[in-house]
């Protein structure tokens, strides 16, 4: 195809968009709304994962060591704990350090017990994957030298189920809205195709190739998709920034302690830009190709 013909087809696509400006504006508006919800679904999913990661870092398994075990057994125990693949960090608290820590909390209540072994030595373990906490507790409990294990298994289960549930829900919403967006674009292009069906038939009879006929409609669909993607991105950016700054500045908010784990928009800006551009243009172009397909069969 010559450059002049290509330029002509691009202009025709843009012209079609303008001539059907009422339907185009409606399509862009509805598609923008869909993409805004898609964007927020993605951001919610990413933030939930980040929050779960934050909670995961705060949770730890506490392993209490049996009293008066041989140093060789304790050394083996520590080596076994550190060698576990899901262990991120291990810290040891001696009996003396445990007593001092509790003294700072309880004050005079422990006066007179300084020379007694009230609190056992322990290992504080931070794990990588919170979903495997029960598995880790079971393994550690079976090791020699372990008196007991304390772990927030209930919290872990709730967080894992919450993350999975929200991820599934967001995925369903995203897929449903993308399908709805595709249908919207297809219906818009169908109107244009229907209005120009005679022109298309004439072009087919005089020998115009399918690619030459498709191009204006493809351009029209891509313009609609791009416009909706751009509008949705600006809306999501503005609303998310306001929400993020509001949470960050509210010192009395109950969620303020989790602010550090929320994702700043600049950390996902290019990911969202890419997703919006690809999704918008792809939906517009694909919807156009589907809409015109049957009219090319003459």
């Amino acid at each position: 195809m010559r450059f002049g013909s290509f330029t002509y087809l691009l202009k025709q696509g843009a012209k079609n968009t303008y001539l059907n400006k009422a339907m185009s504006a409606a399509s862009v508006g509805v598609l923008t709304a869909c993409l805004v919800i898609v964007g927020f679904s993605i951001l919610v999913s990413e933030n939930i994962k980040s929050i779960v990661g934050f909670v995961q870092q705060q949770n730890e398994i506490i392993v209490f060591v049996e009293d008066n075990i041989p140093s060789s057994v304790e050394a083996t125990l520590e080596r076994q704990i550190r060698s576990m693949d899901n262990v991120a960090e291990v810290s040891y608290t001696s009996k003396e350090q445990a007593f001092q820590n509790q003294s700072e909390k309880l004050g005079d209540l422990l006066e007179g017990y300084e020379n007694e072994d009230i609190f056992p030595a322990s290992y504080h373990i931070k794990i990588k994957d919170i979903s495997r906490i029960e598995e880790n507790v079971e393994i550690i409990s079976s090791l020699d030298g372990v008196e007991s294990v304390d772990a927030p298994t209930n919290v872990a289960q709730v967080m894992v189920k919450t993350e999975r549930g929200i991820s599934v829900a967001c995925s369903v919403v995203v897929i449903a809205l993308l399908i709805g967006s595709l249908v919207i674009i297809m219906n818009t292009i169908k109107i244009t195709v229907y209005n120009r069906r005679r022109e298309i038939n004439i072009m087919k009879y005089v020998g115009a190739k399918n690619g030459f006929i498709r191009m204006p409609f493809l351009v029209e669909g891509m313009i609609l998709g791009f416009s909706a993607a751009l509008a949705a991105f600006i809306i999501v950016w503005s609303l998310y920034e306001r929400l993020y700054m509001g949470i960050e500045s509210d010192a009395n908010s109950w969620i303020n302690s989790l602010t550090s784990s929320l994702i700043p928009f600049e950390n996902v800006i290019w990911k969202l830009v890419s997703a919006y551009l690809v999704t918008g243009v792809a939906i517009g172009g694909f919807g156009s190709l589907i809409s015109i397909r049957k009219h090319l069969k003459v």
Side-chain angles (χ1 to χ4, degrees):
M1 184 183 294
R2 293 179 301 174
F3 180 75
S5 298
F6 182 75
T7 304
Y8 167 77
L9 293 175
L10 291 179
K11 290 180 179 179
Q12 283 296 111
K15 181 181 178 181
N16 290 343
T17 305
Y18 176 77
L19 292 177
N20 297 281
K21 50 182 174 295
M23 192 63 188
S24 296
S27 299
V28 170
V30 177
L31 183 55
T32 297
C34 292
L35 290 178
V36 166
I37 299 175
V38 168
F40 273 108
S41 297
I42 294 173
L43 289 171
V44 167
S45 180
E46 291 295 320
N47 276 289
I48 290 295
K49 291 178 182 178
S50 179
I51 291 173
V52 169
F54 173 80
V55 175
Q56 181 171 298
Q57 293 174 0
Q58 308 310 308
N59 281 318
E60 62 181 11
I61 299 174
I62 303 177
V63 181
F64 296 102
V65 181
E66 294 178 352
D67 286 335
N68 303 318
I69 62 172
S71 57
S72 59
V73 174
E74 188 167 353
T76 300
L77 174 60
E78 181 171 348
R79 186 171 61 254
Q80 290 174 321
I81 291 174
R82 291 184 181 275
S83 64
M84 295 176 65
D85 62 342
N86 196 38
V87 171
E89 183 181 331
V90 179
S91 60
Y92 177 74
T93 302
S94 64
K95 294 181 180 181
E96 294 77 12
Q97 183 63 47
F99 183 88
Q100 182 179 344
N101 293 342
Q102 294 301 321
S103 296
E104 293 174 357
K105 296 178 181 179
L106 302 177
D108 297 337
L109 293 177
L110 295 179
E111 187 176 348
Y113 293 94
E114 289 82 355
N115 297 323
E116 299 185 29
D117 293 334
I118 301 176
F119 304 106
S122 60
Y123 290 96
H124 294 250
I125 306 169
K126 290 186 177 182
I127 59 175
K128 299 175 183 177
D129 185 358
I130 197 172
S131 65
R132 296 175 56 192
I133 192 169
E134 290 187 353
E135 171 192 336
N136 296 138
V137 169
E138 185 177 348
I139 294 173
I140 294 172
S141 298
S142 65
L143 300 178
D144 292 335
V146 174
E147 179 179 334
S148 63
V149 178
D150 185 17
T153 53
N154 291 335
V155 174
Q157 290 176 356
V158 171
M159 293 304 298
V160 170
K161 289 180 180 179
T162 300
E163 179 190 10
R164 290 175 180 172
I166 291 179
S167 295
V168 171
C170 289
S171 298
V172 171
V173 169
V174 169
I175 293 173
L177 289 174
L178 290 180
I179 293 174
S181 301
L182 180 61
V183 172
I184 292 167
I185 290 292
M186 287 174 57
N187 288 334
T188 302
I189 301 299
K190 278 181 180 179
I191 294 175
T192 304
V193 172
Y194 183 79
N195 291 336
R196 298 183 61 193
R197 63 190 185 281
R198 292 182 179 177
E199 180 183 344
I200 292 172
N201 289 338
I202 293 173
M203 293 175 69
K204 284 290 293 181
Y205 283 125
V206 298
K209 294 182 179 180
N210 289 344
F212 185 87
I213 300 173
R214 286 193 186 102
M215 182 61 72
F217 300 101
L218 179 63
V219 171
E220 182 181 353
M222 293 175 69
I223 290 174
L224 295 177
F226 177 81
S227 301
L230 180 61
F233 175 78
I234 294 173
I235 292 172
V236 170
W237 187 359
S238 176
L239 293 179
Y240 186 82
E241 280 290 301
R242 288 176 179 272
L243 180 62
Y244 182 85
M245 294 301 294
I247 294 175
E248 190 177 46
S249 61
D250 185 4
N252 297 319
S253 175
W254 65 272
I255 204 173
N256 192 52
S257 59
L258 298 178
T259 300
S260 60
S261 64
L262 296 179
I263 302 175
F265 193 80
E266 54 265 25
N267 290 5
V268 294
I269 186 170
W270 293 114
K271 182 178 180 180
L272 204 60
V273 165
S274 302
Y276 268 157
L277 286 179
V278 171
T279 301
V281 173
I283 288 177
F286 187 64
S288 299
L289 294 179
I290 293 177
S291 299
I292 196 175
R293 184 175 54 183
K294 73 174 182 178
H295 292 276
L296 295 176
K297 297 177 182 179
V298 178

